[in-house]
Amino acid sequence: MLRGAVARTVCMAQASARTFPQRFSAETSPGHDIAAKLWGGRCLEGVRGLHVGLVSCKAEGRKEMLASMPRRDEGTEGEGTIAIDSNIRGSDGSFPDENTPDLLFDGVRFADLPIIHAKFSKNNTLLTLTDSKGVAEMFRSCGIEGFKNTRKGTNIAAQATAISLAVRAINKGVRNVRVAVKGLGPGRMSAVKGLTMGGLNVVSITDCTPIMFTNSPRPRKAKKL
Amino acid sequence: MGFRTHAQFVARTVLVKNNNVDEGMRVINRIMSKEGLFERYRLTRFYEKPYQTRRRINYEKAKAIYNEDMNRKIQFVMRKNRHDPWVGCA
């Protein structure tokens, strides 16, 4: 009896799949049977394949229902999921790896490139050109550059200083440099920009800001307002 | 030369492409501020007295709670597909 019922269902399914598209295409869209195809597909879906159990069908339906629902409230943001910066994920060689020290820039290893140490304080910008060992070769600051008093602590002063250092460095035969920036000051962005404007080729930017964590010595007394 | 905790020019470093330093600085600044390093630097430049720490932490807690609730409220008002379309109309 069961077998008979199964056979009947299959027959019906086939029949409906055959008849529906024909009728539909004849009525509405001759020569264009996308709608008909859709119709046929939906008919077969409605019958439900014999090998697919009722339970799995239910699961499918539930999955669809859940997908259409808004996302569940997760409570505190970041508790369950961690946002990963897209830039970090697809790093595409913008961050150093184990081969970076051996990269060649005009025939010089990355690890042997001269370094520009840039210190940005609230009131001044100090730029020092050193070789790869850290031996100082050249020093410029906003004060040397002719900016005095409050004018030292501006991004324009920092840029002018950087351009002047870059020009002098090029005269000395330096082309590619690594930059190590330290501190948060007004010239932080513009000084590095100024180095390139002066003609230097900046290969990498490193942040060397001294950041204290635990077990640090007690910092100085806060300023009175 | 003092002892260094991190390898130099490996930690906190971006390689600049085509001399595009603006982009490089932006990347490094964004990552560092996202990790809270700038905040840490700012906080440890001067000694913070315990009463100041307490006040700051309490303020941050209150602000976080307010922001969380406010964000949830905004999300609720803005969402279109609701679990219960007739909220409060039992």
Side-chain angles (χ1 to χ4, degrees):
Chain A
M1 196 182 121
L2 186 71
R3 199 173 293 170
V6 165
R8 231 175 298 140
T9 330
V10 171
C11 278
M12 274 170 65
Q14 283 170 347
S16 57
R18 242 178 288 132
T19 51
F20 265 104
Q22 284 164 5
R23 202 179 57 194
F24 205 82
S25 60
E27 275 169 8
T28 52
S29 55
H32 202 280
D33 59 347
I34 292 172
K37 270 181 194 161
L38 280 174
W39 252 102
R42 204 164 300 159
C43 278
L44 281 173
E45 241 173 55
V47 170
R48 166 161 77 83
L50 291 168
H51 59 283
V52 182
L54 186 65
V55 180
S56 65
C57 239
K58 255 188 180 172
E60 289 275 312
R62 195 177 143 67
K63 216 183 272 175
E64 265 174 40
M65 190 266 283
L66 282 179
S68 71
M69 289 287 241
R71 267 178 54 237
R72 259 198 75 211
D73 197 340
E74 162 186 288
T76 312
E77 194 193 67
E79 201 180 314
T81 54
I82 306 158
I84 296 172
D85 205 319
S86 58
N87 254 50
I88 301 173
R89 220 187 300 161
S91 66
D92 65 306
S94 54
F95 298 105
D97 54 16
E98 69 274 18
N99 303 321
T100 306
D102 296 324
L103 283 180
L104 290 181
F105 295 92
D106 293 345
V108 185
R109 281 177 70 233
F110 176 81
D112 296 334
L113 285 174
I115 309 165
I116 287 181
H117 293 275
K119 185 186 171 184
F120 306 105
S121 65
K122 200 162 151 272
N123 290 325
N124 207 351
T125 301
L126 314 176
L127 301 173
T128 314
L129 175 71
T130 72
D131 64 4
S132 60
K133 296 276 188 303
V135 181
E137 289 173 359
M138 200 182 290
F139 170 77
R140 299 296 288 175
S141 74
C142 291
I144 295 175
E145 203 56 32
F147 296 92
K148 289 294 171 195
N149 305 328
T150 49
R151 276 179 223 119
K152 283 190 302 181
T154 58
N155 50 4
I156 298 157
Q159 191 163 330
T161 313
I163 290 173
S164 113
L165 183 97
V167 169
R168 277 151 211 265
I170 284 172
N171 287 342
K172 240 187 149 186
V174 176
R175 274 217 62 80
N176 300 317
V177 289
R178 300 179 278 176
V179 180
V181 296
K182 185 187 276 188
L184 290 172
R188 193 174 153 98
M189 286 295 260
S190 58
V192 184
K193 182 90 185 148
L195 290 175
T196 56
M197 283 162 73
L200 282 177
N201 183 22
V202 175
V203 167
S204 76
I205 300 171
T206 305
D207 188 281
C208 297
T209 311
I211 299 168
M212 299 294 183
F213 290 96
T214 50
N215 296 334
S216 53
R218 179 170 166 157
R220 59 162 282 185
K221 185 160 75 77
K223 282 177 184 169
K224 274 189 183 170
L225 292 173
Chain B
M1 205 183 259
F3 174 73
R4 292 186 193 281
T5 37
H6 298 287
Q8 253 202 318
F9 295 102
V10 174
R12 286 195 249 155
T13 299
V14 279
L15 298 177
V16 177
K17 279 179 200 150
N18 308 323
N19 231 350
N20 191 1
V21 286
D22 266 351
E23 184 59 33
M25 283 303 279
R26 219 172 298 135
V27 167
I28 204 164
N29 284 350
R30 194 183 57 229
I31 293 173
M32 285 191 63
S33 59
K34 211 167 187 178
E35 301 282 326
L37 294 178
F38 286 146
E39 198 194 348
R40 184 80 211 151
Y41 174 70
R42 197 171 43 75
L43 284 173
T44 52
R45 285 222 303 165
F46 299 108
Y47 180 70
E48 191 180 38
K49 287 187 176 172
Y51 89 91
Q52 289 166 326
T53 314
R54 266 197 315 273
R55 284 188 58 165
R56 180 173 55 81
I57 298 286
N58 281 341
Y59 176 73
E60 280 170 6
K61 272 185 193 164
K63 202 171 175 188
I65 291 170
Y66 176 86
N67 281 344
E68 188 190 329
D69 279 1
M70 189 49 80
N71 277 338
R72 199 174 294 172
K73 247 180 209 175
I74 290 169
Q75 287 302 319
F76 177 71
V77 170
M78 281 176 43
R79 85 178 178 198
K80 305 211 176 71
N81 191 2
R82 297 187 178 177
H83 287 287
D84 175 14
W86 310 107
V87 184
C89 310

